[in-house]
Amino acid sequence: MRGAALGMVCLGLVLTQAPGADRLATAAAGEIRCSNGDAVLVIDQNPWRLRLLDRDGTERFAEAEAPAFQVGGQWISLGRVDLAESGDPTVARLRVQLGDKMTAMADVRRAGPSGFRVQVRAEAATITAVRGTAALRVVEEIYGFGEMWNGHVAQRGQAFDLWDRGGTPDECAFMPYYVSTNNYALFLNYGGRVRIDVGQHRSDRLVYEATARELDLTLVRGESLPGTVRNFLTEIGLPQRPPRWAFKPWFWLMADPKQPGAKIDTLRGEHFLEMTDKLHELSIPIGLTWFEPPWQDARTTFVPNPEFSRDMPGLVRQLETRGVRTLAWTVPYTTKTASNWKEAVERGYLAAKPGAMTDGGAVKLSATGELDGSYYNAIDFYNPDAVRWWQAQIDRSLDTGIRGYKLDAGQDLEPDARLHGGRLGADVHNSYALEYSRTFFGVLKQRFGGDFLMVPRAAWVGSSAYTNFKWPGDLSGSFGNNGLPSSVYSSLSLAFSGFPFVSTDIGGFDDQPAPEAVWLRWAQFGAMLPGMQTLHMPWWYSPEALTHFRYLTWLHTDLTPLWNTLANEAAATGAPVCRPLVWTFQDDIDCWRVDDEFTVGESLLVAPIINGNPYREVYLPAGEWFDFWDNGESVHGPARVHWFKGWAARDKFPLYVREGAILPLEVTNDFSGFGWAESAGFVTLAIWPKATGASEFTLHDTEAPVRITVARDTDEELLIRWDATQRNHLLRVHLAGGKPPVAVQGPAGVLPRYGSLPEFRRGDDGWFFDAPERKLWVRKRSHGAAVTLSVRFGPATP
């Protein structure tokens, strides 16, 4: 984590020990070298120029020109740099010329396993901005910058300001961080406005400019995009994992659900019970809801509103008996009508208005409950006393039984606000979101361990270490640029920034109910994210739409073992659950600018339909890809295909399964098509074996990791193995062609063959081959032991 003691080793330098000081001298004329693992930072001495190399000398990053400070309205570049004395062996201190008369000091430290942090501070008191450049190669792509709303995931050729703002969409998770296909990442540690030009003005340069008064850079290398992101997150904090129950669908309300489009003040606690019961009647799963603003008696007291519910703890318990966890909505501010307003003002716990302690505390709200206007009522999360005061109120609210918070807002800190420690709102406008999440996370972690959920709107670099989910804020219920398409692009851009657990408001927020076509296409996208949520009630739509939505909710729910396995991987490595194609297929340059496709893990490829057309072009990387809807169809990639299932086919979308896939599911009914009620109590493994060769998957769900392998060396035998486990397995093996199975051998002998699927469903260990569907079903209880199954193939028998 940043702020911990960081070591430093300088290559090619002679260390001379003297009483009370360490003296460093360069061995190579004209440059200073520092190493960290396999990374080498080179600083050219005259003038300053940074380069990040592999240990073998391969260049990953290079400044196109020396960084510059704006002093008195004039840009002055860093000049000659020399080593200076440092009393700290973990720091390399440098003296840097800044123009003819000024001097800057730079400190270099290790950052993570393969990176460096470089901080440059100048003596001039009139510095108003910093600027830097990175050289762009002819063949190179850039990703990151947080949650991007410009219609792109690959950002080369774009220019934009990183400055959070509310609206539709809510642009509230911009981050001055990016990662390159040249396998390095750069982070500019400044929480205010940053202007970025990714090769738009000059195709060979990335330029950043910030209204900062010092330059604070972190540079990290890796062996690949995933390795680079992992190395960076190791320095700033790896993501927190959500609880397993968070992977069931989320439903929430903004008003009386019997009145679509009703005002927020019609919302009452009993509506959540009615909603849950109605969903159960429709056989639609629900695992989570949250109470919107009317739950508390004022913004923001954390005190239940008796008009919303006379017994909020009882309401929460009733929902929990129905299998539903509950969160509460909150914001990072308080208002004049709140019982804690006076104390907040008197103790100086709020962001101060210039020339006054604060403003009057009165606020104007929109019809949907959003702040309308500019205010100075934000909690000063930089003030330790204010944080403890706010956390005490959060902690008391948890006595109601809620299991976490939906953190709304956080992107509206006024630029001229005054905060603790002399900070200005302009300098922490974006990074304020990090402190907001950190404040809530501390309380929830202490109370619940890991069994809670946080869903913030706003975020910044490092926020994922203090939350376990992210939602994008308010969107239009349309196919427009502020609707479904932007949710796809923004969710995928977050993949590179350390936010593996994302969700989206299916159907958007501004239009209730959203048009049916929009809601359905959005639901298809949302079902393939780890968090599936909507505030649009399924019974508002046609029976056909409801049926398809029910299917999607069960497909999402049945995939819980997969979601949880990928969640454990994400917490350990920072790998996103939903991965832009370049994440897995970096060597395929045709994947680099595919902005609207992703894989769930490595095996399911999703290409959402984000407009009114029933067709779209899909890029499939190398490998054999089976059509999810018709396993008899497959495409050998790399290939571009025109996906089309008919003009009226709204119940399908481009979804492909990679050859070799092993997908774990937890099935309790027949809605998803992966099993039946008899599947309950088993882990269903849906397998698409390779024609030749082996594949594996490590299931890390409710017990220690269990390695599963599937191998075929000839067309006569298929071997399926799994490690010792307390869970039993039900296999659904897709056999693309060739000879049919004639026998299945288990550890204790040949398994019995059932004559029909109904017999298999009712039976014990054994197998059945569904010849028309080309699916082999096998049931095998593990009894806590490792298992190897041998499937033999031969001529069909009568």
Side-chain angles (χ1 to χ4, degrees), residues 444-470:
L444 293 167
K445 185 73 173 178
Q446 184 173 11
R447 174 72 78 103
F448 298 122
D451 193 28
F452 67 90
L453 191 66
M454 277 177 58
V455 190
R457 169 197 282 185
W460 199 63
V461 179
S463 288
S464 62
Y466 301 100
T467 186
N468 50 19
F469 243 100
K470 171 77 175 70

Coordinates of all heavy atoms in Angstrom, one line a residue, residues 444-470:
L444 N -18.0 -0.8 8.2 CA -18.6 -2.1 7.7 C -17.6 -3.2 7.9 O -18.1 -4.3 8.3 CB -19.0 -1.9 6.3 CG -20.1 -0.9 6.0 CD1 -20.3 -0.6 4.5 CD2 -21.5 -1.5 6.6
K445 N -16.4 -3.0 7.6 CA -15.4 -4.1 7.8 C -15.3 -4.5 9.3 O -15.2 -5.7 9.6 CB -14.0 -3.6 7.2 CG -13.0 -4.7 7.2 CD -13.2 -5.7 6.2 CE -12.0 -6.7 6.1 NZ -12.3 -7.7 5.0
Q446 N -15.3 -3.5 10.1 CA -15.1 -3.8 11.6 C -16.4 -4.6 12.1 O -16.3 -5.5 12.9 CB -14.9 -2.6 12.4 CG -14.7 -2.8 13.8 CD -14.3 -1.5 14.6 OE1 -14.4 -0.4 14.0 NE2 -13.8 -1.7 15.8
R447 N -17.5 -4.2 11.6 CA -18.8 -4.8 12.1 C -19.0 -6.2 11.5 O -19.4 -7.1 12.2 CB -20.0 -3.9 11.8 CG -21.4 -4.4 12.1 CD -21.6 -4.5 13.6 NE -22.0 -3.2 14.1 CZ -23.3 -2.9 14.5 NH1 -24.2 -3.7 14.3 NH2 -23.5 -1.7 15.0
F448 N -18.8 -6.3 10.2 CA -19.2 -7.5 9.5 C -18.1 -8.4 9.0 O -18.4 -9.5 8.4 CB -20.1 -7.2 8.3 CG -21.4 -6.5 8.8 CD1 -21.7 -5.2 8.3 CD2 -22.3 -7.1 9.6 CE1 -22.9 -4.6 8.6 CE2 -23.5 -6.4 10.0 CZ -23.8 -5.2 9.5
G449 N -16.8 -8.0 9.1 CA -15.8 -8.8 8.5 C -15.9 -8.5 7.0 O -15.8 -7.4 6.5
G450 N -16.1 -9.6 6.2 CA -16.3 -9.4 4.8 C -17.7 -9.6 4.3 O -18.0 -9.6 3.1
D451 N -18.7 -9.8 5.3 CA -20.0 -10.1 4.9 C -20.9 -8.9 4.8 O -21.9 -8.7 5.6 CB -20.6 -11.1 6.0 CG -21.9 -11.8 5.5 OD1 -22.1 -11.9 4.3 OD2 -22.7 -12.1 6.4
F452 N -20.6 -8.0 3.9 CA -21.3 -6.8 3.7 C -21.1 -6.4 2.3 O -20.3 -6.9 1.5 CB -20.9 -5.7 4.7 CG -19.5 -5.2 4.4 CD1 -19.2 -4.1 3.5 CD2 -18.4 -5.8 5.0 CE1 -17.9 -3.7 3.2 CE2 -17.1 -5.3 4.7 CZ -16.9 -4.3 3.8
L453 N -21.9 -5.4 1.8 CA -21.8 -4.9 0.5 C -21.8 -3.4 0.5 O -22.6 -2.7 1.2 CB -23.0 -5.4 -0.4 CG -22.8 -5.2 -1.9 CD1 -21.7 -6.0 -2.5 CD2 -24.1 -5.5 -2.6
M454 N -20.9 -2.8 -0.3 CA -20.9 -1.4 -0.6 C -21.0 -1.2 -2.1 O -20.3 -1.8 -2.9 CB -19.5 -0.8 -0.1 CG -19.5 -0.4 1.4 SD -17.8 0.2 1.8 CE -17.7 1.6 0.6
V455 N -21.8 -0.2 -2.5 CA -22.0 0.0 -3.9 C -21.9 1.5 -4.2 O -23.0 2.2 -4.2 CB -23.4 -0.5 -4.4 CG1 -23.4 -0.5 -6.0 CG2 -23.6 -2.0 -3.9
P456 N -20.7 2.1 -4.3 CA -20.6 3.5 -4.5 C -20.8 3.9 -6.0 O -20.6 3.1 -6.9 CB -19.2 3.8 -4.1 CG -18.4 2.5 -4.4 CD -19.4 1.4 -4.1
R457 N -21.2 5.2 -6.1 CA -21.3 5.7 -7.5 C -19.9 6.3 -7.8 O -19.4 6.0 -8.9 CB -22.3 6.8 -7.5 CG -22.3 7.7 -8.8 CD -23.1 9.0 -8.6 NE -24.5 8.8 -8.7 CZ -25.4 9.8 -8.7 NH1 -25.0 11.1 -8.6 NH2 -26.7 9.6 -8.8
A458 N -19.4 7.2 -7.0 CA -18.1 7.9 -7.3 C -16.9 7.0 -6.8 O -17.0 6.3 -5.8 CB -18.1 9.2 -6.6
A459 N -15.8 7.2 -7.5 CA -14.6 6.4 -7.2 C -13.4 7.1 -7.7 O -13.5 7.9 -8.6 CB -14.7 5.0 -7.7
W460 N -12.2 6.7 -7.2 CA -11.0 7.2 -7.7 C -9.9 6.1 -7.6 O -10.2 5.0 -7.1 CB -10.5 8.4 -6.8 CG -9.5 9.3 -7.5 CD1 -9.6 10.0 -8.6 CD2 -8.2 9.6 -7.0 NE1 -8.5 10.7 -8.9 CE2 -7.6 10.4 -8.0 CE3 -7.4 9.1 -5.9 CZ2 -6.3 10.9 -7.8 CZ3 -6.1 9.6 -5.8 CH2 -5.6 10.5 -6.7
V461 N -8.7 6.4 -8.0 CA -7.6 5.4 -7.9 C -7.5 4.9 -6.5 O -7.3 5.7 -5.6 CB -6.3 6.1 -8.4 CG1 -5.2 5.1 -8.3 CG2 -6.4 6.6 -9.8
G462 N -7.6 3.6 -6.4 CA -7.4 3.0 -5.0 C -8.7 2.7 -4.3 O -8.8 2.1 -3.3
S463 N -9.9 3.3 -4.9 CA -11.1 3.1 -4.2 C -11.5 1.6 -4.1 O -12.2 1.2 -3.1 CB -12.3 3.9 -4.9 OG -12.1 5.2 -4.7
S464 N -11.1 0.8 -5.0 CA -11.5 -0.6 -5.0 C -11.0 -1.4 -3.8 O -11.4 -2.4 -3.5 CB -11.1 -1.3 -6.3 OG -9.7 -1.3 -6.5
A465 N -10.0 -0.8 -3.2 CA -9.5 -1.4 -1.9 C -10.4 -1.1 -0.7 O -10.2 -1.7 0.3 CB -8.0 -0.9 -1.6
Y466 N -11.4 -0.2 -1.0 CA -12.3 0.2 0.1 C -13.7 0.1 -0.3 O -14.6 0.8 0.3 CB -11.9 1.6 0.5 CG -10.5 1.8 1.0 CD1 -9.5 2.3 0.2 CD2 -10.1 1.4 2.3 CE1 -8.2 2.4 0.6 CE2 -8.8 1.5 2.7 CZ -7.9 2.0 1.9 OH -6.6 2.1 2.3
T467 N -14.0 -0.8 -1.3 CA -15.4 -1.1 -1.6 C -15.3 -2.4 -2.3 O -14.3 -2.9 -2.7 CB -16.0 0.0 -2.5 OG1 -17.4 -0.3 -2.7 CG2 -15.3 0.0 -3.9
N468 N -16.5 -3.1 -2.4 CA -16.5 -4.4 -3.1 C -17.5 -4.4 -4.2 O -17.9 -5.5 -4.7 CB -16.8 -5.5 -2.1 CG -17.9 -5.2 -1.1 OD1 -18.8 -4.4 -1.4 ND2 -18.0 -6.0 0.0
F469 N -18.0 -3.3 -4.7 CA -18.8 -3.2 -5.9 C -18.8 -1.8 -6.4 O -18.3 -0.9 -5.7 CB -20.2 -3.7 -5.7 CG -20.6 -4.9 -6.5 CD1 -20.6 -6.1 -5.9 CD2 -20.9 -4.8 -7.9 CE1 -20.9 -7.3 -6.6 CE2 -21.2 -6.0 -8.6 CZ -21.2 -7.2 -8.0
K470 N -19.2 -1.6 -7.6 CA -19.3 -0.2 -8.2 C -20.5 -0.2 -9.2 O -20.8 -1.1 -9.9 CB -18.0 0.1 -9.0 CG -18.0 1.3 -9.9 CD -17.9 2.6 -9.1 CE -17.8 3.8 -9.9 NZ -19.1 4.2 -10.6

